[in-house]
Amino acid sequence: MFAAMRGEKLESLHLFTDEPSGLEAIVAIHNTRLGPALGGCRYQPYASFEEATADAMRLARDMSYKGALAGLEYGGGKAVILRHPHVDNRAALFEAFGRSIESLRGRYLTAIDSGTSSADMDCIALHTRHVTSTTEAGDPSVHTASGVLMGMRAVARARLGQSNLRDVRIMLQGLGNVGYSLAEQLVAEGADVMVADLDPGRVRLAADELGVEPVALAGVYEAQCDIFAPCGLGAVLNFDTVSQLRCAAVAGAANNQLADAAVAEQLVSRGILYAPDYVINAGGLLYVALTHQGVAPGVIAGRIEQIEERLDSIFQQSEAEARSPATIADQQAEAILFS
């Protein structure tokens, strides 16, 4: 475990249990050089403790890099609560997690993530102030989607030669809160949107409400499009799936999209532009961090709009130095965090 922590440059790893509620939680704190660690609380089933721990560590690292490039005074952290088939009292589970967060004395600030809701954050907030994305603070999903939209404009400019998304064909994989909001915003922009999701009901709803084109899951990677947008869980880009892609660029909201760092070079070799996930999906982090600090909504919106400029800069440097955008983004973040 210590070797894995050193590999991710992780500062600390915390395990919490609470027998009455059934809580089994992992909190990974990657880096606090810029400030307390901030990152969501993920509530998902995992095949093993080792898989859950590895996920928490990888996600914590990305939160550090995301916060650094977004110009925030926060480090990176992530929480994972192991989701079992049955829980007697969900509220009690998250209250127990709130007490766990409080025991860290402000080193980690938690927020909504996959499998959790603002109502869960409200339960956590009963026992600690080190939480955001509560009902009062608001769900960051729409702001994550807005940032991805801004990033897609930079992608369209770099790869398609246009600064808007009108008639740009986009394959959107995943219709959770972020994915559905992104689909709404893309349709409003005049994009030609295709969608796929594990839940066929979400796909039917999007088709009926938004007029998007449903695509079978089996055909997602081979769909002919301008932009492939992963918006579900991570590690969907591997050597097999990238070999199937028929797109000009990859730009989506999912975290940890690359199953392996070498996949970034495979994308380059195939002529597919990649928008580093922790850059393009930083809108939600900006919203929760700045809302927690009491920053005005208009200022927050302006900071989210800067995602487009940040990607413009990364793409330009990538082109000038003949290195992948993923490598450029990593080096920029590491210069802030470790120099």
Side-chain angles (χ1 to χ4, degrees):
M1 185 59 69
F2 289 116
M5 291 175 65
R6 285 192 293 270
E8 296 289 356
K9 297 184 178 178
L10 200 75
E11 286 185 5
S12 60
L13 190 68
H14 306 267
L15 308 181
F16 298 99
T17 64
D18 179 72
E19 187 173 354
S21 66
L23 175 73
E24 294 180 344
I26 302 160
V27 174
I29 296 178
H30 177 263
N31 189 293
T32 56
R33 178 175 179 177
L34 301 177
L38 168 59
C41 171
R42 180 163 288 195
Y43 185 42
Q44 296 285 349
Y46 287 88
S48 66
F49 167 77
E50 290 76 16
E51 180 184 304
T53 304
D55 198 29
M57 290 194 294
R58 285 193 300 267
L59 290 165
R61 170 197 175 276
D62 276 7
M63 292 304 295
S64 286
Y65 284 40
K66 186 184 300 189
L69 290 188
L72 291 171
E73 296 178 349
Y74 286 97
K78 205 72 174 185
V80 166
I81 298 178
L82 279 69
R83 187 169 195 155
H84 300 299
H86 174 73
V87 60
D88 290 330
N89 188 327
R90 183 173 176 128
L93 181 80
F94 281 94
E95 286 192 40
F97 183 64
R99 292 190 292 270
S100 301
I101 296 302
E102 181 62 18
S103 73
L104 294 174
R105 300 182 179 180
R107 290 193 66 228
Y108 169 66
L109 176 70
T110 198
I112 195 172
D113 204 315
S114 299
T116 58
S117 67
S118 293
D120 297 325
M121 300 303 110
D122 291 344
C123 293
I124 293 171
L126 294 174
H127 300 279
T128 184
R129 63 185 176 85
H130 305 299
V131 59
T132 184
S133 307
T134 58
T135 301
E136 181 180 359
D139 187 336
S141 299
V142 65
H143 305 282
T144 303
S146 294
V148 174
L149 182 75
M150 301 297 171
M152 284 182 172
R153 290 176 181 165
V155 168
R157 183 161 44 251
R159 188 45 51 95
L160 306 176
Q162 65 182 75
S163 296
N164 60 67
L165 298 172
R166 181 167 297 281
D167 297 326
V168 174
R169 190 159 176 79
I170 298 170
M171 178 67 249
L172 200 159
Q173 180 195 42
L175 285 171
N177 290 342
V178 174
Y180 202 94
S181 179
L182 179 59
E184 291 177 319
Q185 295 182 44
L186 288 171
V187 169
E189 287 273 311
D192 181 8
V193 182
M194 300 178 287
V195 300
D197 191 89
L198 290 169
D199 182 353
R202 294 287 286 179
V203 174
R204 287 194 298 271
L205 181 65
D208 292 342
E209 290 190 343
L210 307 177
V212 296
E213 178 185 343
V215 172
L217 284 173
V220 165
Y221 298 108
E222 295 180 340
Q224 184 73 50
C225 59
D226 297 307
I227 299 174
F228 175 69
C231 294
L233 296 179
V236 297
L237 298 176
N238 55 47
F239 286 104
D240 179 50
T241 58
V242 169
S243 69
Q244 299 174 53
L245 290 178
R246 301 172 65 193
C247 62
V250 173
N255 290 308
N256 289 337
Q257 293 173 24
L258 304 180
D260 184 277
V263 175
E265 300 305 324
Q266 183 188 10
L267 288 164
V268 171
S269 69
R270 292 211 55 216
I272 299 173
L273 181 66
Y274 174 62
D277 48 35
Y278 60 79
V279 180
I280 195 171
N281 69 13
L285 176 63
L286 283 161
Y287 176 77
V288 299
L290 298 177
T291 297
H292 192 69
Q293 293 177 349
V295 176
V299 175
I300 296 174
R303 291 285 296 274
I304 292 173
E305 289 174 1
Q306 291 175 7
I307 289 173
E308 183 175 350
E309 299 172 15
R310 195 167 299 118
L311 281 170
D312 279 337
S313 174
I314 288 170
F315 294 153
Q316 289 165 10
Q317 186 175 346
S318 171
E319 180 73 19
E321 299 180 10
R323 293 186 297 157
S324 74
T327 298
I328 299 298
D330 282 356
Q331 291 182 349
Q332 288 183 359
E334 288 163 2
I336 297 169
L337 292 168
F338 305 119
S339 62

